[in-house]
Amino acid sequence: MAVAAENQSQPPQNDLPYVLILKPPAAFSIFGDHFFHSPKFQFLKAFESPLPLSQFLLTHAQSVQAILTSASGSVTADTIRLLPHLDLVVTTSQGINHIDCSECRRRGIAVAGAGTIFSTDCADSAVGLLLDVLRKVSAANRYVKQGLWSSQGNYPLGNKLGGKQVGIVGLGSIGTEVAKRLEAFRCSISYNSRSKKPSVPYTFYPNVVELAVNCDALIICCASTDETHHLIGKEVLSALGKDGVIINIARGPIIDEKELVQCLIKREIRGAGLDVFEHEPDVPVELLALDNVVMSPHNAFCTTESLEELRKTVVGNFEAFFSNEPLLTPVPLDDLPHLSG
């Protein structure tokens, strides 16, 4: 058995450089592990080895030059320190909170992400969730499918999106795309971000509570960082008020989920559209019975079309790195964001 384990831990025997995968990206489960194939590098799959991760990394420490990861796979300082020849981390996600960027910066390790590939998909989903909550599309759909229309009459009317005051938390690439779509609905748009953006016509609020007070709906588009953890808590939700709607297509921990659940149960806000949760894939059971909540399983960021773009970008970044060429989508580590944008 020891010989078998040792053989399984060995990398393929050829001259191609090695890219370490700690945990398989979601694209592997959809398209197979050939999805990011390239004739210029080969994968070293830690998740297929029977060895403990630390032992696997020590075994291959001298071989690994790059890592492929995703939002569900953390690249910690401890992992980085076990790999003396690591020079690049590529993530399939737009967010980078799962990577210890401080350690990468200290070591001079480059980081590349998905760039803005997912921005339009996220924006489409954010507006779709907002429309669904306001117009009660999913709730009305259930009403019809349960045969209640004929027995109980018409379903209660929803509210229009047109002309609403919408606040965007994080006016980066995703937030900007959301704003563009909402302009078509004649919404009044305001935002909170790291700093005021002179190039946009929207009202800037330096404080999220103040933003919420002046909004009918709040859309969360910011990065998940230590500073934004539970940024949306009781105070912000109370400021949003009983007619307010909150949409989150960013990261679950940005919202204090326990406070949000209580506000929804008590109808202290009108409703919520949630694509992300604080402890995924676990969802608070209280939300399952609420008709004022629309949920999706953290897939707002992606479509089949954008996955193909991602494939080209990920492979392109690795091929550029191993050819000593500039990365396609480098992440600047000298100015890590508080809020996206």
Side-chain angles (χ1 to χ4, degrees):
M1 293 296 292
V3 172
E6 182 179 353
N7 288 338
Q8 288 183 50
S9 71
Q10 294 303 312
Q13 298 299 311
N14 60 47
D15 295 330
L16 294 177
Y18 297 119
V19 173
L20 172 68
I21 306 180
L22 299 169
K23 185 177 181 179
F28 277 20
S29 64
I30 301 172
F31 299 105
D33 59 7
H34 61 279
F35 186 63
F36 295 118
H37 172 76
S38 168
K40 295 188 177 181
F41 56 85
Q42 61 187 319
F43 290 123
L44 192 59
K45 302 169 185 175
F47 58 91
E48 291 184 348
S49 173
L51 295 176
L53 180 59
S54 58
Q55 186 178 344
F56 182 88
L57 294 179
L58 287 171
T59 301
H60 302 294
Q62 302 303 316
S63 303
V64 175
Q65 300 179 50
I67 289 177
L68 171 63
T69 188
S70 63
S72 62
S74 297
V75 180
T76 65
D78 288 341
T79 297
I80 293 169
R81 289 166 189 156
L82 289 173
L83 302 171
H85 301 295
L86 180 65
D87 288 315
L88 173 67
V89 177
V90 175
T91 179
T92 59
S93 62
Q94 194 156 331
I96 57 171
N97 59 299
H98 55 293
I99 301 171
D100 192 320
C101 289
S102 296
E103 183 65 17
C104 287
R105 180 170 51 195
R106 187 189 71 80
R107 275 271 305 273
I109 296 168
V111 175
T116 59
I117 288 173
F118 300 129
S119 296
T120 55
D121 289 340
C122 282
D124 289 347
S125 293
V127 176
L129 286 169
L130 180 57
L131 271 169
D132 196 329
V133 174
L134 288 173
R135 295 301 303 271
K136 305 181 179 180
V137 177
S138 291
N141 176 61
R142 287 191 295 273
Y143 187 80
V144 173
K145 287 185 174 181
Q146 291 168 2
L148 300 177
W149 188 13
S150 58
S151 62
Q152 298 186 22
N154 291 332
Y155 191 75
L157 296 176
N159 300 91
K160 71 188 324 179
L161 173 57
K164 286 286 189 290
Q165 294 180 304
V166 181
I168 299 173
V169 181
L171 198 68
S173 61
I174 296 173
T176 299
E177 291 294 334
V178 170
K180 289 178 183 178
R181 285 153 177 73
L182 291 174
E183 285 179 347
F185 289 91
R186 296 178 292 103
C187 291
S188 175
I189 300 164
S190 52
Y191 71 100
N192 168 266
S193 200
R194 282 181 292 164
S195 59
K196 185 175 182 179
K197 298 180 180 295
S199 61
V200 301
Y202 317 129
T203 303
F204 171 69
Y205 290 98
N207 183 283
V208 180
V209 175
E210 188 178 356
L211 175 68
V213 167
N214 290 281
C215 289
D216 300 307
L218 203 59
I219 301 180
I220 312 304
C221 302
C222 63
S224 178
T225 67
D226 290 342
E227 291 79 10
T228 61
H229 183 265
H230 285 186
L231 177 69
I232 310 301
K234 177 66 174 178
E235 186 178 10
V236 174
L237 295 170
S238 296
L240 187 58
K242 63 181 180 63
D243 292 323
V245 171
I246 190 161
I247 306 296
N248 191 5
I249 47 83
R251 288 289 187 271
I254 296 170
I255 297 180
D256 186 332
E257 197 164 78
K258 290 182 179 179
E259 290 291 351
L260 175 61
V261 168
Q262 290 306 308
C263 285
L264 288 165
I265 290 174
K266 298 175 181 177
R267 303 282 170 165
E268 293 175 354
I269 62 174
R270 184 187 298 277
L274 307 171
D275 180 65
V276 290
F277 303 87
E278 193 161 359
H279 304 290
E280 296 177 2
D282 296 325
V283 175
V285 67
E286 297 94 332
L287 298 182
L288 303 181
L290 297 179
D291 273 345
N292 60 339
V293 180
V294 178
M295 297 178 285
S296 53
H298 199 154
N299 63 0
F301 70 97
C302 200
T303 58
T304 53
E305 293 87 350
S306 59
L307 270 182
E308 175 57 23
E309 287 188 62
L310 177 67
R311 184 192 67 78
K312 294 176 181 177
T313 299
V314 167
V315 172
N317 274 311
F318 283 125
E319 290 184 345
F321 169 73
F322 289 120
S323 301
N324 293 315
E325 296 176 358
L327 298 175
L328 303 184
T329 53
V331 175
L333 301 182
D334 293 331
D335 184 27
L336 298 178
H338 163 60
L339 294 178
S340 179

